[in-house]
Structure formats: C-alpha cells, structure tokens
C-alpha cells in the first residue's frame, strides 16, 4: 500500500467466492472431458485416442453453442412444460437481468458449471462411439440428442424446485448422476444401432496417454463432485474428501478383482476403479459419511468389474467398458443413498421411500435414453449413414481391394537373354513384336 493513501482493497462477497469456486470446478470438469478421451482412446492406441479427442472437441463445440442458443434455459430456466422442460433462454439473456454490470456473478458461474457438466456427458458418448460413427453423423446426432434426451433429464436434476426428479420424486442427485447414466445408455443405443463386430485393437495401448488421461479424468471428476454443492461451505471439503476415499476404494477393489480373475492387475485396472468410485459417489456426495463413501466406491468397482467381464463376451469392443462403468456405477451411486443416506436412507429412517424413488428415476432415465438414442441412430443409419466403415461395418469386415490384372509380368529369360518358351511376354515385348 502506498503511504498516505487509504487501502482500496475490497473484501470479496460470499457470492463472488462461490462464483470463483464454480468457475474453477467448471474448468476441472472440462479437463475431465479431455482426460476421458485420452484415457479411453489411449487404451486402443494413438490413432483411436486422436479420433476420440476430435469427437470430444466437436461435441464440446456443439454443446456450448446449443447451450448459448437456448438449451441452458431448457435445463435450468423457468418451467415451459411443468416438471419436464424449461423455457429456452437465447444468449443467456436472463442471467444478466436489467443491469448486467451490477449483477451478481453467481448465476453466470452456475451456468458455466452446468454447461461444463453437459460437455462431460457429451464426451462420454463421443468417446464410446468415436470408433464407429462418421463425423457428420456424430454432429447431427449430438444436436438432436442434446434436445431430446439431455434436456429433460438435466431439467429433472438441476431444476431443484420444479424438476421431475429433484422436485417431484425428491431424488437425491447432487452431481448429476442421472445425466451420466443417460449418457452411458445413449452410447449403448448407438452401439446397438451400429451392430456388433468392433474387435479388440491389434495395436498396443499407449501407457503415457492412458496415465495422463486417467489422471486428468480423476482430478476433473473431483471438480464435478465439489462443484455440485454450489457454494464454499462446510460441506464442500467433506464432499471432496469423500470423493477421494471412494475413488481410492474403487482402485483397490478393481485391482483385486483383476488379480483374482486375470491374475494380472494393470494400470487401466487402477484407473477404471478410480473412475467407478467417482461415478458412484457423484449422486450422494453430500449425504454420505466417509465410511459409507468408501463402501460405495468399493461396491461400484466390484459391480463394474464383474459386468465388464460379462459384457466383453457381447463383442461390442472396448467402448462397452465405458458404457458399463457409467451405467452401473451411476445406478449403484443412485441406489446407495436410498439405503445409507444420513437421515433419509433406510438405515436411519426405516422406510424404502427414497430407495424406490432413486431406483425408479435411474431405470426410467436408462430406458428412455437408450431407446431414444437407438431410434435416432437407426434413423441416421438409413438416411445419411451412420458408421465410418462403408462395407461390412456390422460385421467388422474390411473392404477388399480389387486385384489389378493390367500389370505386365516380366518374361523368364535364359542365360543368353532370350525369352523362354511359354513365357508371357511383357507389354514392351508385345509392342516390338508388332
């Protein structure tokens, strides 16, 4: 401070502190989207990781533009259809109010965080279908999918007063686990439309990409969990620690399953386990103690690792692992507070009301997202095309190249340079003969 002058430092208001937290957590969520592309794509090689990264970038661009054009209002605005969808908000005009310069930064920060959550859910679908779809089909699918599938599901979660899930059913879903389940179910629907036949990659995975992408996903998903509180209060540190504990339990459980079944736990085992634990704790991070969070992460990793082993026999390829973790982990996380949530779970309250509501919401979202995405993908398949392999896409076959028959075959000559009898003359020999 300059001597003789009064201090001009102004203490930050609670809204500004909370807005800063949401901006930071939104940036971490975007990091998780990028890390997911490098992690899941790197398991199949550098080329597959590059394609997954490209799909994530396109999905991010589509999501952000649609959110600004009105989709954000459909997930967090005033009710348009009560309990189902909000009113579109072009250019996010409602956030600034009548005096944008003097408005609180919190609404804009919350909007940025929720848009980042939508980007992450779009990235889940993008990484799962990147090896099967064309870029044109992915752009069209993501536009329609965000409006038909994501908007009603996200409105049910993020519209706390009027949403069909949080408002009507009183579902406990802090971080948007229902939207994550919808993303996993949508990816399954697209893969079903593409058909079986994506075999395991012949090229080895890239450990560097896998490690960097998995670490980015781990850190970024913590931003999703902490940002779901929406404020820097006494619950935010507990939610962060609970997410750490759940992911650690998931790492140990998945590696234990791989050690028993495969006798060889790997780097991907640890990272998939951490991811399963984080997905499980997303829904109920604010109502679980550290002990229950640890149990949730362990059970989620156990269920996901078992289902991944069973789903591998369906021959849909490595993309199905991501779908299994998001669906099974999300459902475990949704059902867990129905039993063990502090105050409202079955253990404390003695009734199954919350458990039933959580299960109904999770299964309804899964069936709706899978069905709508399957129908949309089939519509694209029979109109503009869906898969990026022209022939044999449903069976994983490669297009055969025609054999060229116009190549000249050199004649077989003896020691004196004279063509031997019965040899096929070359084009030059045939021309000289005439």
């Amino acid at each position: 401070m300059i001597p003789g002058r009064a201090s001009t430092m102004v203490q930050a208001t609670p809204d500004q502190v909370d807005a800063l937290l949401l901006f930071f957590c939104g940036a971490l969520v975007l990091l998780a989207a990028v890390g997911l592309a490098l992690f899941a794509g790197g398991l199949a090689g550098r080329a597959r990781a590059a394609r997954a990264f490209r799909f994530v970038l396109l999905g991010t661009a589509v999501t952000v533009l649609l959110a600004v054009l009105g989709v954000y209002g459909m997930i967090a605005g005033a009710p348009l259809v009560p309990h189902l969808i909000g009113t579109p908000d072009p250019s996010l005009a409602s956030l600034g109010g009548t005096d944008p310069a003097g408005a609180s930064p919190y609404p804009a920060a919350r909007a940025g965080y929720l848009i980042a959550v939508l980007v992450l859910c779009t990235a889940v679908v993008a990484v799962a279908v990147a090896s099967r779809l064309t870029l044109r089909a992915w752009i069209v699918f993501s536009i329609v999918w965000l409006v038909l599938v994501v908007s009603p599901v996200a409105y049910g979660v993020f519209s706390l007063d009027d949403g069909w899930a949080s408002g009507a059913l009183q579902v406990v879903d802090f971080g948007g686990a229902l939207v994550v389940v919808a993303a996993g179910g949508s990816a399954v629907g697209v893969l079903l439309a593409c058909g079986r036949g994506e075999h395991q990659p012949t090229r080895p995975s890239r450990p560097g990409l896998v490690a960097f992408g998995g670490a980015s996903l781990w850190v970024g998903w913590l931003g999703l969990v902490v940002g779901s509180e929406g404020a820097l209060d006494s619950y935010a540190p507990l939610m962060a620690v609970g997410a750490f504990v759940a992911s650690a339990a998931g790492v140990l459980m998945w590696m234990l399953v791989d050690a028993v079944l495969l006798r060889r736990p790997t780097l991907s085992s640890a990272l998939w386990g951490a991811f399963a634990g984080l997905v499980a704790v997303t829904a109920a991070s604010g109502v679980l103690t550290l002990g229950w969070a640890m149990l949730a992460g362990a059970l989620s990793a156990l269920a996901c690792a078992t289902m991944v082993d069973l789903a591998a026999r369906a021959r849909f390829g490595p993309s199905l692992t991501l779908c299994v973790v998001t669906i099974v982990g999300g459902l475990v996380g949704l059902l867990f507070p129905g039993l063990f949530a502090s105050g409202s779970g079955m253990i404390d309250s003695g009734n199954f009301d919350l458990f039933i509501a959580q299960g109904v919401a999770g299964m309804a979202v899964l069936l709706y997202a899978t069905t709508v995405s399957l129908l949309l993908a089939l519509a694209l398949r029979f109109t503009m095309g869906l898969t990026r392999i022209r022939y044999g896409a449903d069976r994983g076959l490669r297009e055969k190249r025609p054999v060229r028959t116009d190549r000249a075959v050199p004649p077989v000559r003896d020691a004196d340079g004279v063509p031997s009898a019965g040899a096929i003359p070359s084009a030059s020999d045939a021309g000289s003969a005439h």
Side-chain angles (χ1 to χ4, degrees):
M1 184 178 67
I2 300 177
R5 290 188 180 182
S7 175
T8 58
M9 295 181 61
V10 179
Q11 186 176 4
T13 63
D15 275 357
Q16 291 173 338
V17 175
D18 295 340
L20 180 60
L21 174 68
L22 285 176
F23 277 127
F24 179 71
C25 291
L28 290 180
V29 174
L30 294 178
L31 176 64
V34 175
L36 183 63
L38 298 179
F39 167 51
L43 290 172
R46 184 171 56 187
R48 188 73 62 85
R51 184 171 183 84
F53 189 76
R54 192 181 312 130
F55 269 61
V56 169
L57 289 182
L58 285 174
T60 300
V62 170
T63 303
V64 172
L65 290 178
L66 285 181
V68 173
L69 291 176
V71 169
Y72 174 74
M74 297 172 66
I75 68 172
L80 178 63
V81 179
H83 308 302
L84 184 60
I85 201 74
T87 304
D89 185 16
S91 301
L92 305 180
S94 63
L95 299 181
T98 57
D99 184 16
S104 170
Y106 186 83
R110 184 173 185 267
Y113 170 78
L114 292 183
I115 293 174
V117 174
L118 297 184
V119 168
L120 179 58
C121 295
T122 306
V124 171
V125 185
V127 174
V129 305
S131 60
R132 308 299 301 275
L133 265 61
T134 61
L135 290 175
R136 181 179 61 177
W138 165 240
I139 293 175
V140 176
F141 174 84
S142 60
I143 293 174
V144 182
W145 174 75
L146 283 167
V147 176
L148 294 183
V149 177
V150 176
S151 294
V153 176
Y155 182 80
V157 176
F158 299 125
S159 181
L160 303 180
D161 298 329
D162 186 66
W164 61 267
S166 58
L169 295 178
Q170 300 296 318
V171 171
V172 176
D173 186 5
F174 283 85
L178 285 174
V179 190
V180 176
V181 171
S186 299
V188 170
V190 176
L191 293 178
L192 289 175
C194 293
R196 294 188 300 177
E198 185 190 21
H199 301 290
Q200 295 289 338
T202 56
R203 296 183 178 180
S205 63
R206 298 287 178 173
L209 287 177
V210 172
F212 179 77
S216 301
L217 176 62
W218 196 339
V219 174
W221 205 280
L222 291 175
L224 172 65
V225 174
V226 177
S228 63
E229 176 63 11
L232 191 59
D233 53 16
S234 58
Y235 286 96
L238 284 177
M239 295 170 70
V241 176
F244 271 119
V245 170
S247 61
V251 169
L252 296 179
M253 180 58 69
W254 196 299
M255 294 186 70
L256 177 62
V257 172
D258 275 5
V260 173
L261 297 180
L262 305 177
R263 297 186 298 275
R264 189 172 61 86
T266 61
L267 171 64
S268 61
S269 303
L271 294 175
W272 280 123
F275 185 34
L278 290 172
V279 172
V281 81
T282 299
S285 56
V287 294
L288 296 179
T289 62
L290 296 183
W292 291 128
M294 181 186 304
L295 181 59
L299 291 180
S300 175
L302 177 61
C304 291
T306 305
M307 289 301 298
V308 164
D309 183 64
L310 295 176
R313 305 179 185 182
R315 293 200 315 112
F316 277 98
S319 299
L320 201 59
T321 303
L322 177 60
C323 302
V324 168
V325 173
T326 52
I327 293 174
V328 177
L331 291 178
V332 170
L334 285 169
L335 294 175
F336 202 83
L339 297 174
F340 306 109
S342 301
S344 57
M346 188 271 294
I347 298 298
D348 287 349
S349 64
N351 61 70
F352 286 88
D353 293 343
L354 181 59
F355 180 81
I356 295 175
Q358 300 284 113
V360 168
M363 293 306 300
V365 166
L366 177 60
L367 293 177
Y368 173 75
T370 305
T371 303
V372 174
S373 299
L374 174 61
L375 295 177
L376 177 58
L378 288 176
L380 293 178
R381 176 178 176 180
F382 293 110
T383 53
M384 62 180 297
L386 186 66
T387 57
R388 69 187 184 97
I389 303 177
R390 186 179 299 275
Y391 303 110
D394 294 337
R395 298 180 299 277
L397 303 177
R398 294 181 178 179
E399 182 181 5
K400 295 183 179 180
R401 296 180 179 178
V403 179
R404 293 184 59 182
T405 58
D406 57 345
R407 289 185 178 181
V409 179
V412 180
R413 301 177 183 271
D414 56 14
D416 297 330
V418 180
S420 60
I424 301 177
S426 63
S428 59
D429 293 337
S432 60
H434 292 286

